[in-house]
Amino acid sequence: MFGEAAREHRRRSALTQEDLAAKTGLSVRHIRDLEAGRIARPRPATMLLLADAFDLHGAERDRFLTGAPASAPSSGVPAQLPADGYGFVGRADALARLDEILARSADQPTAMVLATVSGTAGVGKTTLAVHWAHRVARHFPDGQLYVNLRGFDPTGTPVSPSTALAGFVNALTGPGDRMPTTMDEQIARYRSLLNGRRVLVLLDNAGDAGQVRPLLPGAPGCFVVVTSRDQLPGLVSVDGAHPITLNLLTPDESRELLTRRLGADRVTAEPAAVDAIVGASAGLPLALSVVAARAAIHSGFALSDVAADLRPTPDHSRPDSPDADRAGAVRPGAGGPGSDRPDAAQLGAARLDAFDGGEPVTDLRLVMSWSYRTLDEPTARLFRLLSVHPGPDFSVAAAASLTGVTPAQARRRLAELTRAHLLTEHRPGRYTCHDLLRAYAAELASEQDTAADQHAARSRLFDHYLAAAYAADKLLYPQRDRLPIDPPGPGVATVTLADRDHAIGWFGDEHQVLLSVLQATADHGFDHHTCHLAWAVTTYLLRRGYWQDWTSSLQVALAATVRLGDHRAEAYAHNVLAFADISLSRYADAQRHLEQAFDRYRLLGDLAGQARVELNLGWICDQNNQPEGALGHAQEALRLHRAAGHVTGQAFALNAIGWSHAQLGDHQAALASCEEALALFTSADNLLGQAITWGSIGHAHLELGATTEAVRSYEHAVRLRREIGDRQLEAEALGLLGDAHLAAGGPGSAQAAWRQALDILVSLGADTSKIQAKLAAAK
């Protein structure tokens, strides 16, 4: 009857009765009565209004106007979805996003809705799409179409749109229907069959937008999901696709996957082994599935044995092992192409061997190769050489330096790698990839790029980081004494930093990268880079309170100076390490470093270097309540700096002399010396020196009872220390400012300053007992 046909067409058009009333001008009650059969023979004008609202044409429109039921495909409703795999876990965000897109499709009932699911090889794009399609199949009563387009198939023969169309038409009409010969006719036939139907179309493993567009329905009511390793930006910009990027599994999701596959008892029995498997699999579902399958097949194997297979070591006994003949190799630390050790590539290859499930679709190396083979050679070379980069992520300039190209060229190639999901742009302008892709890139680099090529890439990369770090450090502390560095070589991309804030931001972005690069320079024989990079990061690490990172980097640098036999660099390393040890109250260690530094500076005739050692020796005396010894070392430092003509050094020595006078009770002498130091620091525009000296002046005023002057001095100290970004010094000055406020009769201001100091110390993980005691006493 006509009412049933009207109801069916309304549902296929994703219209409510209210929507249909608005489109036709009929009342909701009239439509309700018609669909319920209470109006057996509607007027022709009503039928025409409804046919127009349902956008019916041709034979389908004629059938509707005669009151015939809606047509159905002679072969029945297609149900082509692959089976939903057992053990699906996680992906809550992606599933919720697809559900949201489906729910919002009713907002524009005339539109065909399209979503793309992209991600790296083995991340589970098909698994997600199929799982979601089964969940929502009931919303598509006219069927579900599926085709694997094989856009990244190892055979290199993707499914043509014509072949896919023929399969879809057969599913919709039955195999007896003759398929048109031209592409345009095939597309028209396919879209005509979908007209008026609600069908879910899953286009799996698409290679590009050109493979997808002929398969898009032209009628509303259909929903298309496309999976691809490519981001398919054309479908997003031109066809209005909703993009969804599938990321790696979290550690918790990875453990849940193993639990689903292996059972809770087996997984909870060996938590350490499970953690090792999760870590080695890098959150990649394919890798986890291969390991889970091996463990399930060998149910008697301990998971610790399975995990051990994922941590292979090179077979040094094999004739082709890179360690079998090291006669011509250069030892690590000596530089040159021979120092680029091949073991990392061999370990990467062995690691990938552990993720071979015995079939092409479960061989991780082969699966990743399908994406790699689509790259042009310059982009493929960049991907390979990215395995040389030691840090967790990298910038465009770093990638440009690796390959010796311009940043603009590197950016285009990084965009291509990101589109192919061989990289992830996890923050604007910063890229990363998971460990198994890095291992694959290292294996490719060992096969296709010579040791000299990889050495040259490292050289450019290390030049890039050293030059940028020196430039950033100079903005943080312009007056600092620095050892000179060579200019970067050809092909190195430079970084332009406008001011101190940009320098701090750059160091913040590159913090962990720089620590990794520092170790890599030592591992691969770039000892000059090791030393200078350690000096360059010192100011930032010290001011931000990264004590462990600072001391570790200095130890690596010291070892490099010894290998180089560079006495000046070795003296510098010993002196800076002593400074770090004093900061951490390790005075015996500091004393040993200072003795080594002084001997080398004396042999070199470096008076300024000897003076810096004297200041540090005086600092040790001061920390051990020996003001007379501290004063003596400070006076000797002043003599040496004056002899060397080092103005900033003289200012530091004068401040130390003033501080020592204050500790001995001569506060007027302290003020005189510190004010002389302040004048020198101001003339040299040395903010750090001014910040420290204002603290010394504030102390002298406070001891003299001049509380107003003390508060003013400490306020200067806080402002300058905050400006240079030294949080430890800022917290110290805030604590002293609170003391001055309290002495001046301002307990509220004192508590406010102490609370600010406490917040900083807590964020640095530093000792807060003194500040907390002051706050407790003030209550």
Side-chain angles (χ1 to χ4, degrees), residues 172-196:
L172 292 166
T173 67
D177 191 74
R178 187 180 68 85
M179 189 68 181
T181 56
T182 69
M183 176 66 75
D184 288 344
E185 291 174 335
Q186 291 170 355
I187 295 171
R189 176 67 171 144
Y190 165 65
R191 290 177 176 169
S192 295
L193 288 169
L194 289 180
N195 185 48

Side-chain angles (χ1 to χ4, degrees), residues 38 49 157 170 200 240 242 263 338 370 420 429 493 512 543 559 590 618 663 667 676 695 708 724 736 739 762 770:
R38 289 190 287 270
L49 286 171
T157 54
N170 284 335
L200 177 63
H242 301 272
W370 303 342
Q512 294 303 321
R543 290 184 180 179
Q663 303 312 300
H667 301 299
E676 186 179 354
T708 300
I724 65 176
L736 296 168
D739 297 345
V762 168
K770 292 181 180 178

Side-chain angles (χ1 to χ4, degrees), residues 310-387:
L310 306 180
R311 298 188 300 271
T313 55
D315 182 0
H316 300 296
S317 65
R318 287 170 38 210
D320 61 343
S321 167
D323 286 342
D325 182 5
R326 298 298 295 269
V330 181
R331 65 174 175 81
S339 67
D340 289 347
R341 300 170 299 176
D343 301 78
Q346 186 187 17
L347 287 170
R351 184 178 183 185
L352 292 174
D353 288 341
F355 294 105
D356 183 353
E359 299 180 26
V361 294
T362 58
D363 180 346
L364 190 57
R365 179 187 287 106
L366 183 60
V367 168
M368 289 190 291
S369 75
W370 303 342
S371 294
Y372 175 76
R373 289 185 312 150
T374 67
L375 306 175
D376 59 40
E377 174 49 31
T379 305
R381 178 172 177 263
L382 173 57
F383 175 69
R384 297 193 303 268
L385 290 180
L386 284 172
S387 65

Side-chain angles (χ1 to χ4, degrees), residues 121 137 165 181 192 207 225 236 251 286 296 399 421 469 507 515 544 607 616 640 732:
L165 284 168
T181 56
S192 295
V225 178
V236 178
L286 176 59
H421 285 286
F507 271 123
L515 297 179
R544 307 307 284 182
L607 298 179
N616 279 333
L640 289 167
E732 175 190 280

Side-chain angles (χ1 to χ4, degrees), residues 381-456:
R381 178 172 177 263
L382 173 57
F383 175 69
R384 297 193 303 268
L385 290 180
L386 284 172
S387 65
V388 167
H389 192 286
D393 67 351
F394 53 90
S395 65
V396 174
S401 299
L402 268 175
T403 50
V405 301
T406 67
Q409 291 171 318
R411 190 182 300 277
R412 288 194 295 270
R413 291 164 192 172
L414 290 169
E416 185 62 27
L417 290 171
T418 302
R419 278 188 56 183
H421 285 286
L422 291 169
L423 289 180
T424 300
E425 188 176 7
H426 69 107
R427 287 171 47 205
R430 297 200 68 83
Y431 300 81
T432 188
C433 67
H434 64 73
D435 290 346
L436 294 176
L437 273 171
R438 186 184 290 269
Y440 178 57
E443 179 180 319
L444 291 171
S446 69
E447 295 169 353
Q448 301 180 40
D449 301 294
T450 66
D453 288 338
Q454 295 180 62
H455 177 82

Side-chain angles (χ1 to χ4, degrees), residues 258 267 270-279 302-308 310-311:
L258 291 176
V267 169
E270 297 186 73
V274 170
D275 288 345
I277 291 170
V278 167
L303 292 184
S304 57
D305 293 332
V306 176
L310 306 180
R311 298 188 300 271

